[in-house]
Structure formats: C-alpha cells, structure tokens
C-alpha cells in the first residue's frame, strides 16, 4: 500500500482559455473544471487509476468541497477535521499548454492539529510500502514537519518502516534533507533552488547538469532523486547509477499534476520490483500522459505508454 500525506490540500480549479491569457483584460472561460488536489491527493488518484492500493491523508472537514469530492470520486482518504475551509488553487490554461497557476497559502493549522496529523501519519504507516510527504505546508505547520515525519515513522517501525518519498519545495524540502529520505522528486526549479546549481532553464536544457545537481543530494544521503525536467524528460540518480528518460513529443494541455503522476508511475513500478531504469521509464510515461490531459486529470492504463520512452544510462556504477 502507498500512503501519502498532503498537509495543504486544495480544490484545484482549472480555467481553460480559448486564446492567450491577456493581463488586465476581462476574458471568458472556454471550459472550467474542479478536482480535489494537492500533490499527495493527485498521487493517490493516479495510483487508483492504475489499480494500486493507496490512501491519502489530509486535513479537511467532512463537508469541505475537497473531502466531498474525494468521497464522490471514491478516492481512498482519511481526513482530519480542522474546523475551517481548505484552500482553492486556480490554474489558467492556454491552447498551447501554457499554464498560469495561483495557489492560496491554505488554512492556519493549530499546533494540536499539526501533532494529530503527524500521529495519524505514523499510525497509518504501519505496513505501508511507501509513504509520500507531498506539497507545501500550510500556515502553522513547522518548516521541518516532513523531517519530523521521516524520523517519527522510522523510529516507530525500524527496519519495517515504509520507504519515504518527498515531493515538496522551498524550505520544507531543504529541511527534509537532514533526515535522508529514500526518494526526492524535485522539478528543475526545485532542484536548482535546493542545490544552488543552475536554474530551471539551464537544468531542463541540460539533463547532465541536472543529474550532477541531483548527485550532490545522493552524496548527502538521499536514497534516490527523480528529477522531472518538463518536456526534456526526467533523470534518476541513485547510488547504482544515473539514467535519463525521454518520451515522445506531446501536445501539453495542462502540466498541473504531471510531476505528481510521474512520481505515481515511479512508485507503482518500484512496488512491482522493477529496475531503477524501468521505474524511471514508467515515471516519464505517466508524467507525459498526464501533461497531455486537461486540468489535473490523471491518465488511465491505456493512455500510458512506457515503451515509447527511451531510457539511457548516463553512468552505471554498480550492478543492482
Ligand atoms: O502549493 P503546493 O502544495 O506546492 O502545490 C499545490 C498544487 O499546485 O500541487 C498540485 C500539482 O502538483 C496541485 O494539485 C495543487 O494545486
């Protein structure tokens, strides 16, 4: 089973425009949609679409639109009531795939609610294969919440603890490095910010540079780094080697949630015991399929084509 924690979930509203976004103008939406979101929620939606046993943990009252939608969509979840509304995030998409995203900060959690969320995460980790700590932290959550979660889960279960993946950004991502998670899933921008190497544009344009930035994280004790590089594919760096994946060119409809689907692809491949290169291939296939769908829609099995993704070993240090 794959467990995810999303401390700052959202109702993701997507507004599709028929033309370019014009700043300062009144424009009409061609279509709109709303889905329960937040990175860990998207990962569970993507895993369920591939028939993988998964559970999303999140704050949220039973009547909150996010929780209501999760129930309606039959997405397995456990929510912790917080006595107030979750946030709404807005994505505006243009016909060429350009997406403009505005994310709210989220509701303020009390120290007791943060503790309850951490305790729920530890108790639900019993028997899980993976725990994914995902997204930004809401106001009130300490910046090292993910680092504390890694430590608490490992203390509780020792060698039987789930492997732990982190998909976050900024200070919470930097703070978790000290806890040496098993997997990090940064995009190019997050990787550049975390390592101080290059920037989003240079890392996407130069996967070898992205791989060497990711290598610095593995050298610091992170188990593996899956770095998604937008249309340039993805790289995977582990203690066993470095691989680059490149999928066929796609017409992107919405990149929102594509990184989450890439991580879901990696995890489902890891769960079935695939090699690192195959996990990367599945990640790139999932991510590409998600980007070709509107909004935060997740792909189903027949929309995902791992064999169309070419994986190249950049370095191979040890057999595994
Ligand atoms: O504000 P955060 O937590 O960093 O990101 C939240 C978010 O942008 O991430 C998902 C896409 O990855 C969306 O479902 C959601 O709106």
């Amino acid at each position: 089973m794959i467990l995810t924690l999303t401390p700052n979930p959202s109702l993701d509203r997507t507004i599709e425009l028929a033309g370019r976004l014009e700043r300062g103008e009144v424009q009409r939406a061609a279509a709109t949609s709303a889905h329960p979101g937040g990175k860990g929620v998207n990962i569970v939606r993507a895993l369920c679409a591939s028939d993988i046993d998964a559970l999303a943990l999140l704050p949220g009252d039973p009547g909150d639109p996010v929780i209501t939608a999760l129930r309606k969509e039959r997405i397995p979840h456990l929510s912790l009531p917080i006595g107030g509304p979750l946030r709404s995030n807005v994505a505006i998409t243009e016909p060429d795939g350009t997406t403009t995203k505005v994310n709210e900060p989220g509701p303020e959690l009390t120290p007791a609610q943060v503790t309850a969320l951490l305790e729920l995460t530890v108790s639900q980790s019993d028997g899980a294969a993976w725990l994914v700590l995902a997204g930004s932290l809401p106001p009130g959550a300490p910046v090292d919440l993910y680092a504390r979660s890694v430590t608490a889960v490992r203390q509780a279960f020792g060698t039987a603890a789930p492997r732990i993946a982190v998909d976050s950004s900024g200070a919470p991502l930097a703070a978790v490095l000290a806890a040496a998670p098993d997997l990090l899933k940064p995009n190019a921008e997050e990787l550049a910010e975390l390592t101080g190497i290059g920037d989003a544009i240079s890392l996407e344009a130069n996967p070898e540079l992205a791989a060497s930035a990711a290598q610095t994280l593995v050298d610091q004790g992170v188990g593996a780094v899956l770095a998604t590089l937008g249309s340039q594919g993805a790289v995977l760096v582990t203690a066993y080697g470095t691989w680059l994946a490149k999928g066929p060119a796609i017409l992107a409809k919405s990149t929102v949630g594509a990184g989450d689907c890439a991580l879901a692809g990696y995890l489902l491949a890891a769960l079935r015991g695939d090699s690192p290169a195959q996990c990367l291939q599945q990640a790139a296939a999932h991510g590409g399929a998600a980007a070709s769908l509107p909004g935060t829609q997740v792909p189903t099995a027949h929309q995902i084509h791992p064999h169309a993704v070419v994986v190249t070993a950049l370095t191979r240090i040890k057999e595994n």
Side-chain angles (χ1 to χ4, degrees), residues 22-272:
E22 306 288 352
R23 284 183 69 206
E25 296 297 320
V26 173
Q27 288 178 268
R28 308 282 167 191
T32 61
S33 57
H35 285 288
K39 298 187 194 312
V41 170
N42 294 339
I43 291 165
V44 169
R45 284 170 57 222
L47 289 168
C48 290
S50 291
D51 292 326
I52 302 291
D53 188 18
L55 176 69
L57 306 179
L58 69 166
D61 294 341
D64 190 281
V66 172
I67 307 300
T68 309
L70 285 174
R71 258 199 315 271
K72 204 165 145 205
E73 292 184 28
R74 296 178 188 278
I75 307 298
H77 65 281
L78 268 182
S79 58
L80 188 87
I82 54 168
L86 296 168
R87 62 180 173 159
S88 288
N89 292 342
V90 177
I92 302 171
T93 61
E94 298 171 51
D96 69 354
T98 305
T99 303
T100 305
K101 195 128 186 347
V102 182
N103 289 3
E104 292 184 8
E108 172 107 26
L109 299 190
T110 64
Q113 289 167 345
V114 172
T115 303
L117 207 53
L118 181 54
E119 285 172 359
L120 181 68
T121 305
V122 174
S123 65
Q124 292 297 317
S125 292
D126 193 1
W130 281 89
L131 165 65
V132 186
L133 306 169
S136 61
L137 297 176
V143 77
D144 64 349
L145 178 65
Y146 289 151
R148 288 190 207 183
S149 307
V150 174
T151 308
V153 167
R154 287 182 178 160
Q155 264 171 8
F157 301 107
T159 53
R163 281 177 283 169
I164 301 179
V166 180
D167 182 1
S168 189
S169 54
L173 177 59
V176 86
L177 271 188
D182 298 283
L183 177 68
L184 286 186
K185 208 286 312 147
N187 60 23
E189 191 180 342
E190 291 153 358
L191 183 60
E193 192 190 352
L194 188 60
T195 61
I197 295 174
D199 56 23
I201 294 172
S202 62
L203 295 192
E204 282 195 4
N206 186 347
E208 281 82 4
L209 184 62
S212 52
Q215 182 69 52
T216 64
L217 303 174
V218 172
D219 294 344
Q220 288 173 63
V222 173
V225 178
L226 169 65
T228 47
L229 306 175
S231 60
Q232 296 310 305
V235 294
L236 176 67
V237 179
T238 76
Y240 299 101
T242 300
W243 295 265
L244 165 67
K246 187 93 171 70
I250 53 150
L251 182 64
K253 288 225 175 83
S254 165
T255 52
V256 181
D260 310 336
C261 286
L263 179 51
Y266 179 97
L267 295 173
L268 78 85
L271 206 60
R272 67 184 175 217

